Each structure stands twice: as C-alpha cells, then as structure tokens.
Amino acid sequence: MRGTTRNGLRGGLIVITVAALAAAVTGAGAGGAAGDPGGAQGPDTSHVAAPHHGKGSVDNRPGATAPTAGQRDALTRNGARVAWNRFGTPERLAPAAGATSLASGLGDDAEAVARSYLDDNRESLGLTADAVSSLQTVAVNRLGPGAAVLLRQQFGDLPAGYDGQVAIGVVHGAVVSLTSTLARDVSTPAPATLSPADAVRAALRDAGVSQDADLSAEGAHAGWQRFSAAGTDGVQSVQPVAVPMPDGGARSAYMVAVSDESAANPVNNTTYVDARTGDVLVREDNVDEENDDPTWKAFPENPPADYSSTDTRELWCWTATTGCDRVVANPSSPLPWDIDPSVSSTDSTHTTRGNNEYAAQAWDNSRGTGFNMTGFATPSPTRDYTYAWTNQWHDTSCSPSAFDSPQHNDIDAADTNLHAMHNRMHDFAYKLGFTESAWNMQVDNFGKGGLANDPEQGNSQSGARVTTSLIRDNANQSTGPDGTKPTTNMYLWQPVAGSFYSPCVDGDYDMSVIGHEYTHAISNRMVAGPNSGLQGPQAGAMGESWSDLNATEYLIENGLVPQGQDPFVTGQYVTGNATVGIRDYAISRNPLNYSDVGFDLTGPEVHADGEIWNGINYAVRQALVGRYGAGSAGQNASCAAGETPVDQCPGGRRWIQLVYDSFLLMAQGRVSFVDARDAMLAADQVRFGGADVDLLWKAFARTGLGAEAASNTNADSDPTPSFDDPVGPDARIRFQPVRDAIGAPVQVFVGHYQARSVPVADTDPATALPDTATMALGTYDLVVRGAGFGLTRQTITISDTKPRTIPLILNRNLASAANGATAAGDGVNQAKLIDDDEATDWAVLGAQAAPVAGTGVTVDLAGGVQQVRRVEVSALLRPQDAQDPGGDTGSQNRFTALRQFRVLACTATATVTCTQPADFHVAYTSPADAFPATLPRPVAPTLTLRSFDIPPTTATHLRLEVVSSQCTGNPEYAGQQSADPAVPTDCASAAPISGQVRAAEFEAFAH
C-alpha cells in the first residue's frame, strides 16, 4: 500500500499500510492499508501508532521542454496516439485506433527490434543517432512470445539514475507500445565536486534523520558504496549517476538509498543529490501504508473466522513426507526456505531465515531499532517449524500480560507464519515474472540477473511492546532500489476509541494483508525498473489496488480461501468485517469508476482511490473469466504452479499475467490510470497477440477508462472519464431534465457519488461539458444534481447503438437555498446543509463528551406552507479544509458522521414564529441505524445520501435534529472492548471527537 507519492504510510512503502491507526492521533488522517481508519483524532497521542511522517516524494527540478514542431508532425504522419513528458519526448506511444502496432517487420531479436524502432523514429523522439546508440540495456524480460525491453540513457560516463529510460513492448518483430522519460540532451554533465559521503549526509539531512551524521565506510557492493551512520539503523548506500533536467541537460548526481527503519515511523528514501551543489534534485519516499526435510505449520489464509482457538494450520513440507498437507518445494526457490546462502548454501539456519525472507520478532521495534536480526523463531535442530499457537492475543483480549507469559503471545508461530507466507508470495510472483532480472528480493540471485543481498525482512508483531506509543492496526512495506533490503512490518490489532475497532488479532496470520504488503515490493520494483517506484496519487492508488488484487488472486488460484469467506474481501480477519474488510467495497461488489477519484470521506487518498482500480480490474478479470472460464481447483493450482502455460489457463490467470506484464511496460513510476490501461492493452498484444483487446476495451469503457479518458498528471484528482468503447458497440446518449426541472442546468454523474466526482454530462449551455455522452452498451447507475433539485439516483440500460434521449426525473427541493430556503441553528456552515451539494458539510464542533443529541439546523422552507412527504439526508464527510470560511477546521473523523436523526415541523402563523422549541412537533424519527456503519469504522457507502419517507407533514419550517453521531450512538463503538487498561475504546467518553457531529445534505420533497 503506497502513499501519495512513492509513498508514505498513508497507503503503504513502499511502505503502504493496511490499516494505520495513527492518523487518529496526529490529525493527518489515517494511513496504511486501511486508508483513513478513523479520521484524524484519537484517544491519546501516546496510544496510537503515528502514520508515516516521512517528507514524501518530491521533484525539485525546474521547467519543462516542449516537443518540437518536427516531432509533432512526425507522429501525426504515423498516426500514433501520444502523450508528452517534461523532457519534450513521448511519455507514451500507443498504436492508432484500429491498429495493433507502432511498427512491424523489424526482425526476431526483441532488443534489436526495439533499438531499430528507436533509430527509425529519431525525428519523432527528438533524439540523435548517438543518443540512441548509447542507450544501455537494463533488462529484456520475456512476456510469453514477446518481451519488455528496458533501455537507459548514458550521459558521458554516468548512467541515468532517475528518468532517462524507455520501455518498449515487442512481439513477433512488431513494436506495440513505448513509454519513456528520455531526455533529448545527452551531453556530458559537469563533473562532481562533492564526495559520496557528502551526498549521504545531504540525503540524511533532507530526510530529517541527521543534521551532520558521523559516517563509517562499509565497503562496496554491486556498484553501491555503503556507509553506516551514527544514530540510524540501516545501511546508507550511494552511487554516482546522472539526473536529466526537464529544462535541458543533465546534472552529475549521487543516488543515495537512505534507510532508518522503525515500526512507528520508518524512513526509506531514494534521494538524488546534485554532485556539485548538494541540493536534493529528487526524493522518492519508499514507504507504503497489511529432520532434514523442513516443515512449517502455517495458516493457509487466516485462523478461524469466528476467532476460536481451533488450530486450523496446515503442515507444509519441502518434499512429501508423512502427515504433510502441502508440498511447497518448487523451481522458483532453488533452495529450501530455511537456507540462507550468505551463511551456507547447503546447511539450514534452523530458524525463520532463508534466501527469500528473514522473519523475526520485533516487539521493541521503534525508531532506531529496525529489523531485529536476533529475534528469529526459536531454533529447531530438526527443521520442524511447528510451534504452538494458542490464539493468546485474542483470548486475553489484547492484554499486555501476554508478552510475559510462557507462550510469549505465540511469537514463534507468528514468525513462522510470516516466513512461510512471504516465501509463498515470492514463489507465486516468480512464476508471473517477478524474477531476478525483474529485480525481485533474494540473498542470492544464482547468476540470473538483478542485484542480490536484498531478501524481504519481515518484522512480526512489530512494535508490540513499545511504551511511547501504541503501534497497532497497521502493516507496511518499505522497498528501496534493487540490492537494498526491503522491510515489512506486521502489527497486532486491537480496538481504539474513535479510531479503529478491530478484534484482538495478530496481523501475522492474515494472508490477505501479508500478500498485500509483499505486492507493494513487487509493483515498486517492476514498474520503472530497479531504482524507481510508483510515485504520485494515481500511481499510489494503483499500488494499493494491485496489492489487494494480487493477494486475492494468490488465494483463489491456490484454493486457500476458507469455506464461508469471500475471496474478494481484503483484511476480513484483522477487521472482523466479512463484507468489505478494510475497504469501502469488496473487490467483487464495487460500483466505482474513473470519474470517482477523490470520492471518499478524506478526498483523494491512495487506499480509497485504489478501490477504483480494484473495480476496473475486477471488470477486466471477469470479462476474461467469461471467455476462458473460472477454472477447476486442479486447473487453477496447475496454473499457479506454472505447470500449465498461461495461454491454456482460465481467465483469472490470464488477467493477473497481464497485470504483471504491464508493470514491465511502464518506464516511469509517475503513471496514471490511463497509462496503466494502455500498458495492459499493450501486454495483451505482446503476450496474447491482442486476443482479448475487445474484452479489455469494453471493461475499461464501462468503468470510465474508455477511449477519451484523460488525466493531466497522475496527481489529477479530477481526471476526465470516458465511457466510449473504441472497438465495440456504443451509443450516443443525450440527457434531458424533465418534471420540475425542464430546461434546468443539471449535472449527470455515472456511479454512486457526486461529491468530488467528475460529471459525464451537463445540461447547462454555459459550460463546456455537453449534454451528451458516448457510452458502451450496458447498465449504469447515475446521480443527477441540480441547484434547487437536490440529488436523485436513477439507473439506465443501453442495449443497442441507437441514439436516444434519457429523461432525468427531478423534483423541486423545498429545502434548497437555490429556491429561497434559509438555514439557521447550531454549529457552523448551516447553509451548506441546503446547497444541493454533497461535497459540503454542516458541523457541530463541541468539546469531548459534549452532547450532540438535540443539536440541529432549522430550515425555513421555500414558498411558505408546504406539504412534505419525503426527506433526503447525507452524512458524507468532506475533506478537511483549513480555509473553510464557515469555520469548520476540525478533523474530518469518520466517527463524527451523523447516525440517527429526527425531523421536527412547525407552521408559522401570526403568533407562532418557529423560533422556539415549543413551536415544533416531531414529524419523523429515523431508524437508529439510519446510516448503518459497522466494524471497523464508518465508510463512505453507508454515509451517502439516503431517502426517507415521512408521514405527510404540512409546515413552513423543518428542523433536522441530531439524535446521535456514529461515535455516540453506534453500539459497535461503545464500551471497553479490550483488557488493555492503557487503551480506552468507548467512543462517547474517550474519543476527543465525541462532541462533534456532521451532515452534508438535508433535502425535502412534496413527492
């Protein structure tokens, strides 16, 4: 789960997190896989793990170079679809509509084909012959019959360390895709005047780790010069590179891998330091916020879903032996999982340490301790890693006494489970292309390419005993460049007031979370080559999604989903929620589309927006399943083991193979959904000859990534959606308001959200957006919004290509300010409750434990006496905005959302002013769960606008009055739910936000 750039613990490390509590304390929103578990406040800053507080990723390079007229003309002549990068060269080239390649007939050798294409198209690329001939080969990775060719520029004697790359998809002598960060100017930069040690100190200062660190040289490895820095944990590695500048030329620079790992606040950056000035040119934040035959006891997916202490672990063995449930030896791991070649290539370590992964207890892991090389599982002379599991953390209700018990909170079992799961993910991913040449993670690469000495380092029960903060409800992955050791932290989970309500469980046993975190390392290593990773909000969102999707596919293909559990729910064990887990939606029940970027309660955020990519990819996956079948258990297992060629596998395997192939076809990490869509289409051309381009386009079109979808940058929170299928049937649709809204300007949104979503059509002639849209055949949910008409939902089905007009049925909103209604009452922003806009909020900002019941807003209805039969109310939160003129600068904590309300009515007369409580009578009381949030925290789908029929009520004034917020009225968040005396869980009494409540909309209708 990656953060907002290469990413912080708001999503994940590279580190990304699965469920970061910490936002609860810091006011920064929650991070990790959970996205924003509780919002920004929590019970006590000493109790909750802080989210990632690294400085994030930054690119300080100025300017941009525009493509020349000659380049544009050359590409116009060949008809390729092009997007330009900051260097004035093509960022992305895709075949013209209807074409299958950019060029063909170029030969049999993939690298030669790629180089020939570049040489033939120097004019459109803006490169000289010397610039093309000097390109270095980084990797040629086979993709079925084709290949992804990654080449890197050279500036004098220095290779490009950041940007300066091109990835070319080649199959059967044809080039089908190109992505690049190539620079036109490859002249030799001025030489370095600073030393490598100077660069390390500059990078450490920039990271906030040390102002003037004492360094000790640790020798060199694979081109890296290594140092240890006083006061830090981890090796600081540096090598000379060139960094191309968008405004021309390149700078001599040092690429510095900075590492100072901790559970609460890990630092893992790749920093590019100007070798003459010491300035930081670029910083990538890599933290994403999940006998002789050895045997392992492991939960295939997770312990029992009812949290009983029944031990359902399987016995996994390297080779078949008596009592073995699953043989795990396979060619992806040439050595048994407990052999570490840095110690011995033949002898076991007799613990949870091997070529692919080190797993060790990290109870005291706080800033400065990092990976605990002494905390491996208790050694087993017979290689039987079958330690007892007693479910101690759950059965003691999160009692700290578990650590001092003889069982030590089942830590040996946790180490073993994490070790086995990481190895399984290594082997699964290897068969899909995450191999040594694609920069995977191993002690020894056996001469197969890539850099070695970088096994995954797994911290189990990380930070469990840290006394300065409560490090819980989270998981993260930190992954630096190839050859540097990545780290994952798996945490304990427990309920915390007003922040996150999970059961008392150990994340080391939830494979959906473990697999999620491991996949952050996969996507960050494979996209953009060995030294860069995913950067920016849309890339970070896809990183979160790929982590969900890959872990899910691993479980499905291996037949490891326990009976009764939904394979498409991430984190159901650690959250106690079997319906959506740690997300807003299950992957398979997801209505989101590309117009919904920023839909969630916190606005644009990588975990929430990653769910959009989940929905898009599920549509693609199921389209392939529809064509190739879901497969039997035996077929899927054979495909997962690499025993059956992928072109003979069911649809799910074909889809996940396209995902992995697409990684290698993207030459930079600053990718948008549109870039990744094109990479998947190119992957289908390379591996399968374009066999499924029709299905892919149809699935993309139906989820908003059709032919005209566009994003200005990968940080674009308002990208342009498109529902146009360029290869399949579609229809031109015109939208027309009817009933009360005839001729009125209204907006049409595809999906379930209006707030922060982008409309597909607009009937206002004053705007550039037309009242028409081209849409692929299918069924669509719509939200229609108009000033004076509130929001309404309707569903349309487009069954043929005939142009048609869709009537939009809207009624007059009697409680709309646009119709003359006014609002007054408690709190701030009362008028925003009646502005026909779900993106704005009314709020009461009381102190902790102040009563919210009875607070409310009185609306003077438009047009005098009215009869009201229906109200619509929304509890959706808006992103925090300190500049809000209404004064709501409080944290947008999920638990402050409205839960239950009532509607009071008053009819003004000569003697009744409708200003006193006695003037009103109760017209309607909502159900106690009007907005039915559940564990582990409220989510957007249950807080959006809902319609409530009320008894026919005649009134001039209506009052929306709070009965309870989610914090004060939801029994799921009440009472003391653990045996940890230091951690309160009752939201109403212990959460700082308990005196706050918010609502987004109040609308009233006569019919």
Side-chain angles (χ1 to χ4, degrees):
M1 307 168 186
R2 250 191 141 148
T4 55
T5 52
R6 187 185 167 167
N7 286 351
L9 277 182
R10 285 187 57 89
L13 222 159
I14 249 177
V15 170
I16 280 185
T17 74
V18 161
L21 262 190
V25 187
T26 61
D36 168 39
Q41 295 182 8
D44 186 306
T45 58
S46 66
H47 290 319
V48 183
H52 180 57
H53 285 300
K55 293 188 175 181
S57 298
V58 66
D59 189 337
N60 293 319
R61 296 172 297 170
T65 299
T68 65
Q71 287 177 271
R72 293 184 185 275
D73 289 344
L75 283 171
T76 299
R77 289 194 298 272
N78 68 30
R81 293 182 289 126
V82 61
W84 299 96
N85 60 35
R86 296 170 64 193
F87 302 96
T89 62
E91 178 175 281
R92 184 177 70 251
L93 286 178
T100 59
S101 68
L102 292 166
S104 60
L106 300 181
D108 298 325
D109 180 85
E111 182 177 347
V113 168
R115 290 184 178 275
S116 175
Y117 177 81
L118 293 174
D119 195 54
D120 291 345
N121 290 273
R122 296 196 308 271
E123 182 181 7
S124 57
L125 297 172
L127 302 178
T128 65
D130 287 344
V132 173
S133 63
S134 65
L135 287 168
Q136 297 178 324
T137 303
V138 179
V140 178
N141 283 295
R142 305 304 306 182
L143 307 181
V149 180
L150 183 65
L151 306 175
R152 178 171 56 206
Q153 289 184 305
Q154 184 92 356
F155 298 83
D157 294 331
L158 295 173
Y162 187 84
D163 291 327
Q165 295 193 137
V166 58
I168 302 171
V170 178
V171 63
H172 301 313
V175 171
V176 300
S177 71
L178 178 149
T179 64
S180 93
T181 55
L182 294 172
R184 295 208 303 250
D185 183 352
V186 294
S187 57
T188 301
T193 58
L194 301 180
S195 70
D198 292 331
V200 171
R201 291 189 182 94
L204 289 170
R205 285 195 299 272
D206 175 70
V209 173
S210 173
Q211 290 300 307
D212 190 17
D214 291 331
L215 302 181
S216 299
E218 298 289 340
H221 172 75
W224 294 90
Q225 186 171 347
R226 300 192 166 189
F227 296 89
S228 60
T232 68
D233 175 71
V235 176
Q236 319 306 321
S237 304
V238 59
Q239 62 177 276
V241 295
V243 174
M245 303 298 287
D247 57 0
R251 302 277 182 88
S252 296
Y254 289 105
M255 178 170 62
V256 186
V258 174
S259 177
D260 188 14
E261 298 294 337
S262 73
N265 191 19
V267 172
N268 191 299
N269 297 340
T270 305
T271 306
Y272 297 84
V273 178
D274 190 306
R276 294 174 64 83
T277 68
D279 294 336
V280 170
L281 299 174
V282 177
R283 180 204 316 121
E284 288 189 86
D285 187 330
N286 299 328
V287 178
D288 292 323
E289 304 263 333
E290 72 170 275
N291 97 39
D292 290 332
D293 182 28
T295 60
W296 299 263
K297 274 271 193 173
F299 291 104
E301 206 283 347
N302 52 247
D306 63 359
Y307 303 104
S308 73
S309 298
T310 302
D311 190 347
T312 58
R313 289 178 296 172
E314 292 182 351
L315 182 66
W316 292 359
C317 54
W318 191 247
T319 58
T321 188
T322 302
C324 179
D325 295 305
R326 192 177 302 268
V327 177
V328 295
N330 70 99
S332 300
S333 288
L335 301 175
W337 294 343
D338 63 344
I339 291 180
D340 178 358
S342 69
V343 178
S344 170
S345 61
T346 58
D347 295 336
S348 169
T349 62
H350 299 285
T351 187
T352 49
R353 177 177 180 176
N355 190 52
N356 306 326
E357 200 258 3
Y358 296 172
Q361 171 261 101
W363 283 352
D364 299 316
N365 191 6
S366 60
R367 186 170 182 78
T369 62
F371 182 78
N372 185 352
M373 287 290 288
T374 63
F376 297 106
T378 301
S380 171
T382 59
R383 305 173 76 183
D384 294 316
Y385 310 112
T386 56
Y387 308 98
W389 175 79
T390 65
N391 204 16
Q392 190 175 23
W393 186 243
H394 180 271
D395 288 353
T396 61
S397 297
C398 306
S399 173
S401 65
F403 304 118
D404 297 317
S405 70
Q407 188 58 33
H408 297 302
N409 204 36
D410 298 327
I411 187 60
D412 281 342
D415 286 342
T416 300
N417 206 79
L418 184 60
H419 182 69
M421 295 305 107
H422 278 155
N423 275 283
R424 287 282 286 177
M425 284 303 298
H426 169 279
D427 295 353
F428 176 75
Y430 194 99
K431 296 175 181 68
L432 288 161
F434 189 42
T435 61
E436 295 87 353
S437 66
W439 316 291
N440 74 352
M441 303 175 297
Q442 298 175 176
V443 173
D444 190 335
N445 282 3
F446 308 108
K448 297 179 181 179
L451 299 181
N453 196 35
D454 60 353
E456 175 78 329
Q457 303 192 52
N459 288 331
S460 55
Q461 296 185 10
S462 191
R465 299 204 70 168
V466 174
T467 58
T468 55
S469 62
L470 183 72
I471 301 171
R472 297 288 188 268
D473 301 340
N474 202 353
N476 57 56
Q477 173 75 28
S478 302
T479 311
D482 190 29
T484 63
K485 293 183 175 69
T487 300
T488 191
N489 287 297
M490 301 303 298
Y491 302 120
L492 298 174
W493 297 62
Q494 73 182 84
V496 180
S499 176
F500 203 79
Y501 288 84
S502 65
C504 294
V505 294
D506 185 345
D508 293 292
Y509 302 119
D510 191 328
M511 184 53 182
S512 70
V513 176
I514 297 168
H516 173 108
E517 297 305 332
Y518 193 91
T519 304
H520 278 301
I522 297 172
S523 60
N524 281 288
R525 282 281 175 86
M526 293 185 74
V527 175
N531 297 328
S532 191
L534 300 172
Q535 305 162 57
Q538 288 193 39
M542 290 187 291
E544 293 300 325
S545 171
W546 285 321
S547 285
D548 283 357
L549 295 166
N550 189 52
T552 295
E553 194 66 23
Y554 160 81
L555 292 168
I556 291 174
E557 290 189 12
N558 285 285
L560 299 178
V561 181
Q563 186 174 3
Q565 288 192 18
D566 188 334
F568 294 102
V569 173
T570 298
Q572 54 192 309
Y573 174 71
V574 293
T575 63
N577 186 316
T579 304
V580 299
I582 207 161
R583 302 288 176 235
D584 289 281
Y585 297 100
I587 295 170
S588 57
R589 298 182 295 278
N590 186 323
L592 298 170
N593 66 76
Y594 196 42
S595 69
D596 290 325
V597 172
F599 78 96
D600 198 39
L601 312 181
T602 55
E605 193 275 333
V606 293
H607 295 96
D609 291 338
E611 296 195 57
I612 300 169
W613 193 241
N614 276 355
I616 291 168
N617 268 268
Y618 182 75
V620 173
R621 182 188 189 276
Q622 293 311 102
L624 292 169
V625 167
R627 177 169 286 178
Y628 298 103
S632 66
Q635 285 177 305
N636 287 325
S638 177
C639 290
E643 298 165 352
T644 299
V646 67
D647 59 358
Q648 299 173 33
C649 286
R653 184 66 174 188
R654 291 175 73 101
W655 160 76
I656 195 65
Q657 186 65 70
L658 289 178
V659 170
Y660 273 70
D661 290 354
S662 74
F663 293 159
L664 294 170
L665 294 172
M666 291 182 278
Q668 65 165 324
R670 301 181 298 275
V671 288
S672 70
F673 284 29
V674 178
D675 298 321
R677 175 204 68 187
D678 284 355
M680 287 190 73
L681 290 165
D684 183 63
Q685 290 286 349
V686 172
R687 184 172 289 276
F688 300 120
D692 301 311
V693 67
D694 58 331
L695 291 185
L696 269 63
W697 267 120
K698 180 175 291 186
F700 286 133
R702 288 180 175 177
T703 52
L705 268 179
E708 301 303 318
S711 183
N712 291 328
T713 67
N714 82 337
D716 190 351
S717 61
D718 291 313
T720 301
S722 168
F723 298 87
D724 180 6
D725 181 352
V727 300
D730 49 32
R732 191 68 175 170
I733 305 300
R734 179 171 179 264
F735 296 98
Q736 184 178 58
V738 298
R739 197 174 283 179
D740 294 349
I742 293 174
V746 302
Q747 296 173 304
V748 181
F749 302 83
V750 176
H752 291 188
Y753 294 90
Q754 169 259 320
R756 299 173 291 283
S757 294
V758 177
V760 69
D762 187 339
T763 65
D764 186 349
T767 68
L769 193 64
D771 62 357
T772 58
T774 300
M775 304 183 73
L777 306 189
T779 297
Y780 299 89
D781 293 328
L782 305 178
V783 175
V784 185
R785 173 188 176 268
F789 305 100
L791 282 74
T792 188
R793 304 184 189 279
Q794 65 184 81
T795 300
I796 63 171
T797 297
I798 305 170
S799 56
D800 56 51
T801 60
K802 179 181 177 181
R804 72 204 65 201
T805 297
I806 300 293
L808 305 175
I809 303 170
L810 292 98
N811 299 309
R812 184 169 179 264
N813 176 12
L814 302 174
S816 171
N819 289 328
T822 60
D826 301 306
V828 297
N829 301 332
Q830 297 89 347
K832 294 185 176 181
L833 199 59
I834 59 169
D835 62 358
D836 303 294
D837 187 351
E838 206 172 4
T840 59
D841 274 4
W842 159 73
V844 171
L845 303 175
Q848 182 173 342
V852 297
T855 60
V857 173
T858 298
V859 180
D860 185 347
L861 300 176
V865 178
Q866 303 288 346
Q867 187 174 69
V868 178
R869 295 175 178 268
R870 180 170 58 89
V871 297
E872 293 190 349
V873 182
S874 171
L876 191 69
L877 301 179
R878 61 155 181 81
Q880 182 173 331
D881 180 2
Q883 305 304 313
D884 186 339
D888 179 10
T889 58
S891 302
Q892 298 301 299
N893 184 292
R894 296 171 181 268
F895 295 84
T896 67
L898 180 68
R899 177 171 172 81
Q900 185 180 16
F901 65 91
R902 59 181 186 170
V903 177
L904 295 86
C906 172
T907 300
T909 66
T911 59
V912 177
T913 62
C914 296
T915 60
Q916 302 299 317
D919 295 339
F920 288 82
H921 67 277
V922 176
Y924 174 75
T925 300
S926 78
D929 60 348
F931 296 96
T934 184
L935 301 175
R937 76 279 193 251
V939 293
T942 63
L943 301 180
T944 52
L945 195 77
R946 294 183 168 227
S947 183
F948 302 88
D949 293 328
I950 71 173
T953 300
T954 300
T956 59
H957 295 71
L958 294 180
R959 177 175 171 81
L960 176 69
E961 189 170 276
V962 175
V963 175
S964 66
S965 68
Q966 294 294 335
C967 182
T968 64
N970 195 324
E972 301 273 20
Y973 315 137
Q976 184 59 27
Q977 300 181 20
S978 78
D980 188 340
V983 184
T985 63
D986 183 67
C987 192
S989 63
I993 48 79
S994 60
Q996 301 178 23
V997 65
R998 290 173 172 80
E1001 270 295 287
F1002 177 64
E1003 301 171 0
F1005 300 91
H1007 49 80

